[in-house]
Every structure is written in C-alpha cells, then in structure tokens.
Amino acid sequence: MSSRLAIDGGTPVRDRPLPYARHVVDEADILAVADVLRGDWLTTGPAVADFEKAFAGRVGAKWAIAVSSGTAALHAAAFAAGIGPGDEVVTSPMTFAATANCVLYCGGKPVFADVQGSSCNLTPDSIEKALTDKTKAVAIVDYAGQPADLDAIHDLAAKRNLVMIEDAAHALGATYKQRPVGRWAHLTAFSTHPAKHIATGEGGMVTTDDEKLAETLRAFRNHGIRHDAHARARSGAWFYTMDFLGYNYRLSDIACALGWSQLQKLDGWLARRREIVAQYAGAFSRMEELEPPIQRPGREHAWHLYVTRIRPETLKVDRTQVFRALRAEGIQVNVHYIPVYWHPHYQALGYTHGLCPVAEAEYERMITLPLWHGMTRKDADDVIEAVNKVFDAYRR
Ligand SMILES: *Cc1c(COP(=O)(O)O)cnc(C)c1O
C-alpha cells in the first residue's frame, strides 16, 4: 500500500520544508555580538584574537587565522603554499568549486585525481598517479566531514616535498587516528558559512603549526601589510609597509564574537549530528533502494552532510525523479557535488567529461538528506517517512 506522492497531487509529509542544513543561533550568541556592537572595535579588535585562540585550541593547531570566508581561507592557503604559474595542485573533483578555484586564483593548475567510491575522498594511490614534476601541493577534501587517509597523504606529501592543503570546510571537529583535523596538513582551511558546523555569517579560518606560514596568512588577509590596525594602535606607531599584494580578507570583530560563542557549543552539536545519523542508519540499513553513508575505521566523522546513494536498478525512476519527489514532500534534499570540472569555466579550460569516472558515477546516484544540529527527532522521522513513501511508490 502506498499513499499518493505530493509530486502527484498528494499531501506532502511536511508543510514547512526542512532545509538540508542550517545554523542555530541562541541568546548567548546574540549577547556576544551585542557586546561587540557596544564596544570600541567593529573589526580587527580583540574578538578576532579570542576567536582564533579558541579555534586553534579546539583543533590542536598552533595558529589559527580568521578570514572573511572559507574560499578566502583556501586562497590564503594556496598563496602561502607558494602556488604560482606553472605549478600543479592535485585536488578532488568531488567538492565545492572553491577547492580548485583557489589554485586558479594563484595562477596554478588544478589536476583532478579520482575519488574512492565509498567515501568520495581522494586516496594516496589516486594522488600518486596524478603527480608530475610540476606538482607543488595537494589540496584534499574531507568529504561530508569524513577525514581522508590523512597519515598516508601526509607521508606522501613529505616524501615528495609537497605542501599539504586540507579543505576541512566539512570537517570541523573530526579526528583521524585520534588526532584532530586541523593539525595534519601544513595548511587546513575551514568555513563558518551558516550551512557548516559553526556560523559567523560569512567566514573562514586557516590553521597551521608553522609560524612563517601563519605570518604570511595574516598579512595576506590585510593587503600584504604585516601589522594590523589593532597592533599599531597598541604600539602607538603609524608606520607600515605593504610587502606583497594581499587582499582585504579580514573577518570582523562582530563575526568573530559570534564564532567564539558558537564554538563553545560545537561538541554538543557534533553529538546531536551523530544521534540523527544513528536514527537514519536504523531506518535505512535494510532498505534495498538506498545506500546510507559509511564511516571508515580510525576516524570520528564530523557529519556535515548525510549523502546517500540510490540503487538505480531497484527503482522505476532515476535520481532526478526521486530528488523531485522528496522535495515535493517538503524535504529539501540536495546533491553534493557536480564534479568540479563539469562546470563551464573548467570545460573552457580544457577539462573534459570522463576524467574521473568514479566521481562521475557516484554523482549520478547521490542524494543528500537533511542533517544539522538543530534538527529534532520529529524532523528526522519526517525525512524517513518521506523516503519510505517515495520508494514505496517507485520500487521496481
Ligand atoms: C563551503 C565550502 C567551501 C567554501 O566556503 P565559503 O565559506 O562558502 O567560502 C569550500 N570548500 C568546501 C568543501 C565547502 O563545503
């Protein structure tokens, strides 16, 4: 027995659509921001340093440098890695375009290696195959919040004298072999966009253990000037020099106060995400039509995204139809990601379809179900109900 799908005019499971991701802001966050608004610094004041120190402490890195977005964090990391014209950077096709774009910003060439099907992460083997004598760095992604093989990739980078850049926009709070994401790579980039684990509106962070890299990152976000306004005000000096061409990628005190306050709640939020994942896993583990995501051994997954794959051979319809039917039920499913080099900008640069067959095949089957720390048990039950309803109608 199956009830009529909303896409066919039936009653949707939810009237108010459930987003695939969203932020949570509480009164403590609002008070933290209001405090900054009543103070002397709206940007580059004490709240920046406080947020950076707390963030570095949380991920076990020596330095954290706050910037205006996750994309700015990746750009800063690629610049600090010394990427320039003629340099190749091995990266993943299964990510948001910013991971590869940061290489283009610096005049370098992204080289896409294929991913492992189950995790959608790069593997040391696929990276190794993509290396040439022009490779200067690897820019890996912890897809959906699951760390890649960080020890083996770290060793590979060390052996080949490559800079290891890690796009950890999904992976704040994840660990690999008990060591937090944020202290494996030379440079780790995070995002504090509202869809991610903690929110500052727009925002990003780079962590590193290397003091020289940290200095370059700080100057890069401030036009290539090595002393910021806050430091000059404290020292009473007016003189500064612009040493290289940087940008204004600063993150405001307003945003950093929000980020600090959000960070205090990270552990509880990670636990909440794991609970929802367990609820989903219980419902989906014996479902023929759907492969739930799997957690590989040796890691604590940060569960930014809950990416499932459909098994097309069990269904009368394709992924697009399942996606539309779930959306009609009020479940704001998504797809992460269109292979980066399929985008017209990359096609115009000469990248062609077929480059990474595993990533392309997984992409065709993917559906991201809602997962965020403010979701209730009832929200997750609605998702499960909608998935059951849609597969009941479309089962072969
Ligand atoms: C969100 C995201 C980014 C970009 O972060 P912004 O803060 O939106 O600029 C980069 N890489 C990945 C994998 C992301 O998910």
Side-chain angles (χ1 to χ4, degrees):
M1 196 204 85
S2 66
S3 51
R4 187 131 81 108
L5 295 181
I7 200 171
D8 298 327
T11 310
V13 171
R14 288 177 69 97
D15 308 326
R16 277 188 65 222
L18 179 69
Y20 86 90
R22 76 154 279 167
H23 63 277
V24 172
V25 166
D26 67 11
E27 281 308 308
D29 296 328
I30 292 167
L31 284 175
V33 170
D35 264 358
V36 171
L37 295 176
R38 291 191 190 95
D40 294 328
W41 294 90
L42 292 187
T43 193
T44 319
V48 178
D50 288 348
F51 183 35
E52 290 177 339
K53 192 157 177 261
F55 199 102
R58 179 61 181 78
V59 305
K62 277 209 185 106
W63 311 103
I65 293 88
V67 290
S68 53
S69 70
T71 304
L74 286 163
H75 187 185
F79 178 87
I83 305 305
D87 295 331
E88 294 182 357
V89 179
V90 175
T91 192
S92 173
M94 192 41 73
T95 181
F96 184 60
T99 320
N101 291 352
C102 75
V103 180
L104 296 181
Y105 295 156
C106 295
K109 181 183 168 196
V111 174
F112 296 99
D114 209 350
V115 296
Q116 175 185 52
S118 60
S119 67
C120 283
N121 276 330
L122 291 184
T123 62
D125 276 358
S126 71
I127 292 171
E128 187 128 35
K129 280 190 203 121
L131 298 178
T132 72
D133 54 8
K134 292 187 187 135
T135 311
K136 182 133 184 188
V138 293
I140 62 159
V141 179
D142 300 314
Y143 176 83
Q146 166 146 259
D149 296 333
L150 298 177
D151 55 349
I153 294 171
H154 179 274
D155 292 350
L156 176 65
K159 197 173 79 189
R160 300 296 195 108
N161 205 17
L162 306 171
V163 183
M164 178 175 171
I165 299 170
E166 188 172 348
D167 181 343
H170 298 177
L172 175 59
T175 66
Y176 181 75
K177 298 192 171 166
Q178 267 109 56
R179 186 181 160 112
V181 163
R183 55 172 314 200
W184 279 94
H186 295 104
L187 296 145
T188 308
F190 295 89
S191 165
T192 50
H193 180 279
K196 310 290 165 69
H197 289 83
I198 65 169
T200 62
E202 299 287 351
M205 192 72 83
V206 190
T207 61
T208 183
D209 278 354
D210 183 316
E211 187 158 9
K212 276 238 153 55
L213 290 176
E215 237 177 62
T216 302
L217 295 164
R218 276 187 215 108
F220 184 78
R221 74 170 166 198
N222 192 33
H223 310 279
I225 297 168
R226 289 189 196 274
H227 293 284
D228 64 37
H230 191 227
R232 283 205 304 282
R234 274 175 302 168
S235 73
W238 57 269
F239 189 77
Y240 66 87
T241 57
M242 194 203 97
D243 300 337
F244 60 81
L245 189 64
Y247 292 77
N248 176 358
Y249 278 166
R250 297 183 304 259
L251 190 61
S252 73
D253 259 40
I254 302 166
C256 286
L258 178 55
W260 187 92
S261 181
Q262 293 254 305
L263 191 62
Q264 310 309 308
K265 290 165 281 217
L266 176 64
D267 287 318
W269 286 349
L270 288 165
R272 181 67 197 121
R273 284 172 183 267
R274 284 195 294 272
E275 283 171 8
I276 298 161
V277 168
Q279 195 182 339
Y280 280 163
F284 300 144
S285 61
R286 282 178 308 280
M287 195 177 273
E288 279 280 304
E289 297 79 13
L290 198 73
E291 285 172 22
I294 47 173
Q295 178 166 315
R296 299 180 61 225
R299 40 212 112 198
E300 281 177 283
H301 200 308
W303 292 112
H304 164 52
L305 298 173
Y306 192 84
V307 182
T308 65
R309 326 291 164 80
I310 59 159
R311 292 197 182 90
E313 66 280 7
T314 65
L315 298 169
K316 290 184 287 200
V317 298
D318 64 5
R319 188 266 308 270
T320 307
Q321 185 65 21
V322 174
F323 179 96
R324 288 198 187 121
L326 286 168
R327 282 259 174 129
E329 299 297 339
I331 309 299
Q332 292 283 319
V333 289
N334 215 317
V335 172
H336 298 93
Y337 292 91
I338 302 162
V340 171
Y341 58 81
W342 283 14
H343 289 296
H345 184 72
Y346 282 88
Q347 294 282 302
L349 291 173
Y351 297 88
T352 53
H353 282 245
L355 195 55
C356 299
V358 179
E360 294 184 11
E362 295 303 328
Y363 160 70
E364 300 288 355
R365 305 196 298 135
M366 284 174 172
I367 295 184
T368 306
L369 301 181
L371 176 58
W372 42 284
H373 41 272
M375 266 174 75
T376 63
R377 195 168 173 86
K378 165 76 168 66
D379 290 334
D381 280 338
D382 288 346
V383 175
I384 293 163
E385 184 185 334
V387 166
N388 276 307
K389 184 178 172 190
V390 167
F391 285 148
D392 280 349
Y394 290 151
R395 188 167 291 125
R396 192 184 275 281

